[in-house]
Amino acid sequence: MNPDQIQALNDAARGQSPQEIIKTALAHAAGGAIVTTNFRPYEAVILHLVAEQQADVPVLWVDHGTNLPETYVFAEKSRERLSLNLKPYLPKMTAAHWLALNGGQVPMPDEVERVESFSRIMKLEPFERGMRELAPKVWITALRKEQNPQRAATLQPFMWDAKFNCLKVNPILDWTPVEMDAYLAEHKLPNERTYYDPAKGDEKHECGLHAKLVTDKA
């Protein structure tokens, strides 16, 4: 899509609900939509929003092998509750292998080089492999401005992702925890607040899926 077409989609999206944005996205997907998840808190919201409109949309999940037990339980509850078409992608190196070569523990937030090594090997490689194999025309995400204050001004409901040559759609950009909690309660969806992603370290650090890593060269 060209920039004018993307702008037209964003102009039309002003004031629309996430459901309306997803409906537009699926209309442009010609059966080639995916939704990505990491089963962090509130992920059941975007998964339910998409599944309500197209139940068989592939759900790309990178399982890097070091999620907390609570995250795996939440993933399974979500899969069962929403009948997700879950597509797990695992790294080529096991978590035990990476940990044995890198101090035996997952990286801490202030260990930038270890965080980004984990991200490249354990998260980005399987994610990029999944995107190549699934080859989506439309990629639906759970990105929210509140979680990405450093990039909030550049985020829009519809964006073109040049790396994966697809339309990237962010239906819940403006939702806060108030809207998220209300949606979970209304639809009786599972949630899990105990979560840690070694590929991010902290909320301000990018894991590389949506923006460059700190140590990436320009």
Side-chain angles (χ1 to χ4, degrees):
M1 300 185 80
N2 63 47
D4 288 341
Q5 291 172 313
I6 300 290
Q7 187 58 53
L9 287 173
N10 283 311
D11 288 343
R14 291 196 185 99
Q16 287 189 337
S17 67
Q19 290 90 338
E20 291 170 315
I21 291 171
I22 291 170
K23 183 177 181 179
T24 298
L26 294 175
H28 283 81
I34 70 164
V35 58
T36 52
T37 186
N38 52 11
F39 290 109
R40 66 177 296 132
Y42 293 127
E43 287 292 284
V45 171
I46 192 66
L47 297 173
H48 183 267
L49 283 164
V50 174
E52 283 282 274
Q53 297 198 44
Q54 187 176 324
D56 64 347
V57 170
V59 179
L60 172 55
W61 174 37
V62 173
D63 177 9
H64 47 68
T66 61
N67 285 299
L68 298 175
E70 293 89 344
T71 300
Y72 288 111
V73 172
F74 174 43
E76 185 61 17
K77 285 181 179 178
S78 299
R79 186 191 66 78
E80 292 180 352
R81 166 70 173 79
L82 300 172
S83 300
L84 298 177
N85 182 15
L86 194 61
K87 303 291 185 182
Y89 276 80
L90 280 63
K92 294 181 178 179
M93 178 182 287
T94 66
H97 189 168
W98 189 92
L99 291 170
L101 299 178
N102 290 273
Q105 295 182 336
V106 296
M108 295 294 100
D110 60 345
E111 298 176 311
V112 175
E113 290 187 1
R114 292 185 73 234
V115 167
E116 298 200 349
S117 169
F118 184 95
S119 185
R120 288 188 178 91
I121 296 169
M122 306 301 289
K123 194 167 183 177
L124 288 180
E125 186 283 321
F127 175 74
E128 291 173 356
R129 178 163 27 98
M131 290 293 281
R132 288 194 305 270
E133 293 181 4
L134 296 174
K137 294 182 177 67
V138 167
W139 167 20
I140 302 171
T141 86
L143 279 175
R144 291 190 291 127
K145 290 180 179 178
E146 179 189 64
Q147 294 176 308
N148 298 269
Q150 68 275 27
R151 292 190 293 121
T154 65
L155 296 174
Q156 299 184 83
F158 293 93
M159 304 171 71
W160 183 254
D161 191 284
K163 182 175 183 177
F164 298 112
N165 196 36
C166 66
L167 185 64
K168 186 175 181 180
V169 184
N170 312 303
I172 55 174
L173 270 183
D174 296 318
W175 275 23
T176 67
V178 173
E179 287 89 357
M180 303 293 275
D181 283 327
Y183 192 92
L184 289 174
E186 178 184 357
H187 297 281
K188 298 180 173 59
L189 297 172
N191 195 28
E192 177 54 61
R193 297 183 184 275
T194 304
Y195 179 81
Y196 180 68
D197 183 355
K200 283 183 67 70
D202 60 39
E203 287 299 323
K204 296 179 181 179
H205 192 94
E206 293 293 347
C207 66
L209 268 60
H210 300 288
K212 281 189 175 184
L213 298 174
V214 171
T215 59
D216 279 346
K217 295 181 179 179

